[in-house]
Amino acid sequence: MAQMVADVLVGVLEQIGVRQIFGLIGDSLNPLGDAVRRSKIEWIGVRHEEGAALAAAGQAKLTGRLGVCAGTTGPGSTHLVAGLYEAARDHAPVLALSGDMVTKLRGIDYFQTTEPDLLFRDVSLYTETITSAAQAPSVIHQAIAAAYAGPGVAHLTLPLDVMAAKAEGEVTSVATLRPHPEFAASAADITAIARQIDAAANIVIMCGNGCHGAADELRALSDRLKAPLNHSFKGKDIMPFDDPHWMGGIGMVGTKAVYNAIMQCDLLLMFGTDYPFSEFLPHKGAVIQIDERASVLGRRTPTAPGVMGSVRPTVKLLLDQVAAKSDGSFFEHVTSERRKWDAMLDKQADPKRSRDRIHPQAVARAASDAAKHDAVFVIDTGLNTLWSGNWIRQSGSQADLGVLQQLRRRDCARSGQRHPGARPLAAGHRPDRRRRFQHADGRVPDGSAPQAAGEGRRLQQFEPWTHCAGSRGSRSAGVPGGDRIPESGFRRVCPRLRRPWFQGGTTGRAARRDRRGLRRRRARGRRLRRRGRRVAEHAASRPRARRPLCHRENQGSRDCGHRTVTPGRPAGLRE
């Protein structure tokens, strides 16, 4: 049987280590689906194409390998875009495949026609339509190479007739389609950095996503320089939470100890991070940044020097040149502040601190304590990022994925081969074990709520609010000027729906209407109770009237008909 263009595409994906394709099948993807059926690649069907893109992005971030997603003609491919922005913003190598109608129907306003190359131009580093079988091998190679080079999103539009056409050649130079290897900074840059480090007294090291796999080197550098280590949210899982070098996060999901240390240090070393919130970075003092991407150097805060290089090999070379420091007072002070902060976090996470509510801090801590050593936490943005960043106590062998949106399916953790730059997972890690402990709307699935409460309380909806010393509004923990954590609680179950709000299916205007009705009913009940108390008090304050006597009591007759009388008057006269 002659090979189709679809077979060529699936064959090269199989060669470079792709093990799954996430997508929703449709007519225009039939040749691709048939080629996948004959290969060793697994097709994982989803309910919505956005979920396929998010799953591919999650897999790429976990493994460092190419993630692949697919959508059919028209709305099928347009639904991929929202999920692909996750991969684009987190620089994950993802190949998106869009099915399309046959080429002769393009340009005549045919059913469900779109212009995918225009649509995907913003989210993709490379987007192209394969228009002929002869063009296919070179375009397929270019798309995969672009996804790895970014890293980022590459997109291919696959017309139905081209996919089903007889292949004309194979994809060559497949060995070049791989993640780029780690590389060290130049010798001159290493010498300049070492000279600046030796001249500084108090040093802080900030670790980002690019530090995964370099935990041992970072500990050694911290010991030599007496420098505390802090992390961005994406670097949280590099080391265990109780590592003595690890002082916590920075910014709105960070600690007061880290913020003060960064603002008071003589030199800040930013390793593998493009931390975007400049207000939490020093505006004076020296900053050195090391990153593999030249485009991110120096764009968040004044930096000198900014050095291109991978963290692990560069730190190894620095250890050979920097002099050991003997004064550990700065490190000890930051450690002391960190212990105070941890004690406050433990108090906030205690389920017993509230009698009738389950606080989200307790839920995050309970999920953290119950998680397996190879768990993958998928965390949305918003207040649950605050709770997860502060109260999840990572083991060092788990993985955290901060995402822009909630993953629709739990396929992100399914992985194939790994490469040296991917996040290190524990020995015995099962990538096909899919776990998610916190939903984007704050729910904890699989019956975790009673465990989180420490007793048999039911998980209920919460309405968060924020308190910060010296300010009002949406500022949170780690903000300079205060160390109070947002107080939140789970509201009681709606008496009308008999279930939590988020399980009742009412959102937006309907939920607000239900809450207003509940408040009105409660207020009416309070008014009736107050009125009843007033009536009872008024009745108790009046002198009691003498009870009228009946004819029987007055005369002793049995056939009087119980006519009421006034004592001293004739019994036969009615009052």
Side-chain angles (χ1 to χ4, degrees):
M1 180 178 177
Q3 270 198 335
M4 300 184 300
V5 172
D7 295 314
V8 173
L9 172 60
V10 172
V12 71
L13 293 178
E14 193 172 1
Q15 289 183 61
I16 65 174
V18 173
R19 294 293 175 264
Q20 293 88 22
I21 296 178
F22 305 92
L24 189 60
I25 199 67
D27 292 347
S28 63
L29 289 178
N30 281 342
L32 179 66
D34 194 42
V36 171
R37 180 181 58 82
R38 295 191 297 268
S39 71
K40 296 181 181 179
I41 296 178
E42 179 185 10
W43 180 279
I44 299 180
V46 298
R47 296 182 180 180
H48 194 279
E49 290 82 358
E50 183 183 349
L54 288 169
Q59 185 186 66
K61 287 190 285 184
L62 281 171
T63 66
R65 309 294 300 187
L66 186 72
V68 183
C69 58
T72 188
T73 306
S77 60
T78 58
H79 290 164
L80 292 171
V81 175
L84 290 175
Y85 272 104
E86 166 72 19
R89 294 299 173 260
D90 280 348
H91 307 284
V94 171
L95 176 64
L97 305 174
S98 293
D100 202 5
M101 67 198 67
V102 297
T103 52
K104 70 177 183 179
L105 298 177
R106 294 179 62 87
I108 58 172
D109 197 20
Y110 193 69
F111 177 65
Q112 290 188 340
T113 55
T114 59
E115 290 293 337
D117 291 341
L118 294 177
L119 177 66
F120 285 84
R121 183 168 296 174
D122 180 60
V123 73
S124 303
L125 300 173
Y126 178 86
T127 178
E128 190 60 62
T129 299
I130 300 179
T131 57
S132 67
Q135 179 199 23
S138 56
V139 173
I140 292 170
H141 185 283
Q142 182 67 26
I144 298 173
Y148 273 136
V153 177
H155 170 256
L156 290 177
T157 302
L158 313 174
L160 178 60
D161 56 332
V162 176
M163 281 287 96
K166 182 180 178 181
E168 299 182 17
E170 297 285 343
V171 176
T172 59
S173 306
V174 176
T176 63
L177 301 178
R178 59 189 180 91
H180 59 76
E182 293 181 337
F183 63 97
S186 66
D189 288 333
I190 294 293
T191 302
I193 294 174
R195 187 182 304 115
Q196 198 165 345
I197 288 175
D198 291 340
N202 300 327
I203 301 173
V204 174
I205 303 174
M206 182 177 178
C207 308
N209 190 46
C211 293
H212 281 96
D216 294 337
E217 290 78 9
L218 292 171
R219 289 190 188 97
L221 186 63
S222 174
D223 288 334
R224 179 162 297 189
L225 303 181
K226 300 296 187 291
L229 302 175
N230 69 83
H231 59 80
S232 65
F233 188 79
K234 292 183 181 179
K236 175 180 174 64
D237 55 353
I238 296 173
M239 295 184 190
F241 78 97
D242 55 355
D243 190 291
H245 308 84
W246 212 231
M247 301 301 170
I250 181 176
M252 301 186 74
V253 292
T255 69
K256 183 179 180 181
V258 168
Y259 176 82
N260 290 335
I262 287 179
M263 293 303 169
Q264 295 167 7
C265 70
D266 301 321
L267 176 63
L268 174 64
L269 302 178
M270 296 179 63
F271 289 167
T273 179
D274 183 32
Y275 183 73
F277 304 106
S278 302
E279 61 267 28
F280 297 103
L281 297 176
H283 299 287
K284 59 181 180 179
V287 177
I288 296 175
Q289 187 175 2
I290 299 175
D291 203 286
E292 293 178 343
R293 300 162 293 168
S295 60
V296 308
L297 298 176
R299 67 178 178 181
R300 305 302 183 188
T301 189
T303 302
V307 176
M308 279 189 62
S310 303
V311 173
R312 181 164 51 181
T314 301
V315 172
K316 282 184 178 179
L317 295 177
L318 275 176
L319 287 169
D320 296 333
Q321 296 196 29
V322 295
K325 297 185 182 295
S326 57
D327 185 5
S329 58
F330 179 71
F331 184 91
E332 293 170 358
H333 173 72
V334 177
T335 301
S336 175
E337 294 297 316
R338 181 227 174 163
R339 291 196 187 102
K340 295 178 183 178
W341 187 268
D342 288 346
M344 183 269 298
L345 294 182
D346 292 340
K347 183 177 179 181
Q348 293 273 336
D350 187 0
K352 298 179 181 179
R353 75 184 180 107
S354 181
R355 183 173 58 87
D356 58 348
R357 293 181 180 181
I358 303 175
H359 292 270
Q361 296 92 333
V363 175
R365 177 61 57 83
S368 169
D369 294 344
K372 298 292 182 65
H373 72 282
D374 59 350
V376 176
F377 292 90
V378 182
I379 302 165
D380 193 11
T381 57
L383 268 181
N384 67 73
T385 310
L386 168 68
W387 302 323
S388 303
N390 281 286
W391 283 277
I392 286 182
R393 300 189 295 193
Q394 72 281 3
S395 67
S397 59
Q398 297 164 335
D400 293 336
L401 289 183
V403 299
L404 295 175
Q405 303 176 37
Q406 177 186 0
L407 290 186
R408 301 297 175 87
R409 292 178 63 87
R410 289 175 281 183
D411 296 323
C412 68
R414 307 192 67 172
S415 59
Q417 299 177 358
R418 298 177 51 77
H419 76 106
R423 293 189 176 192
L425 301 179
H429 175 77
R430 290 178 55 190
D432 60 333
R433 180 179 296 170
R434 293 168 287 180
R435 245 184 300 274
R436 178 171 58 185
F437 287 94
Q438 184 166 338
H439 287 267
D441 55 5
R443 290 174 289 165
V444 179
D446 303 329
S448 301
Q451 299 176 8
E455 51 192 74
R457 299 174 187 169
R458 183 178 180 183
L459 178 63
Q460 299 162 346
Q461 189 199 23
F462 56 89
E463 180 179 350
W465 62 92
T466 304
H467 299 282
C468 182
S471 66
R472 297 179 60 188
S474 61
R475 306 196 72 180
S476 307
V479 179
D483 56 0
R484 293 189 62 185
I485 295 298
E487 297 285 348
S488 304
F490 290 91
R491 293 295 184 192
R492 298 186 178 185
V493 176
C494 170
R496 186 168 69 84
L497 297 177
R498 297 297 178 191
R499 53 183 176 265
W501 295 110
F502 64 79
Q503 294 179 2
T506 55
T507 58
R509 184 177 300 176
R512 291 193 295 271
R513 183 172 61 248
D514 289 340
R515 288 193 288 269
R516 285 195 298 267
L518 179 60
R519 288 194 294 268
R520 285 195 294 267
R521 290 191 293 274
R522 288 176 175 172
R524 184 172 179 270
R526 289 192 294 268
R527 289 195 299 270
L528 291 176
R529 288 193 293 272
R530 286 196 297 267
R531 184 182 302 172
R533 286 194 296 269
R534 288 197 298 268
V535 170
E537 292 171 358
H538 179 69
S541 63
R542 295 178 59 187
R544 176 170 294 185
R546 185 175 179 180
R547 183 173 62 88
L549 297 176
C550 70
H551 184 269
R552 177 189 301 173
E553 293 172 333
N554 194 36
Q555 301 292 337
S557 174
R558 294 186 179 183
D559 56 351
C560 67
H562 293 271
R563 291 170 294 174
T564 57
V565 298
T566 303
R569 296 186 63 181
L573 297 178
R574 295 181 181 273
E575 292 194 314

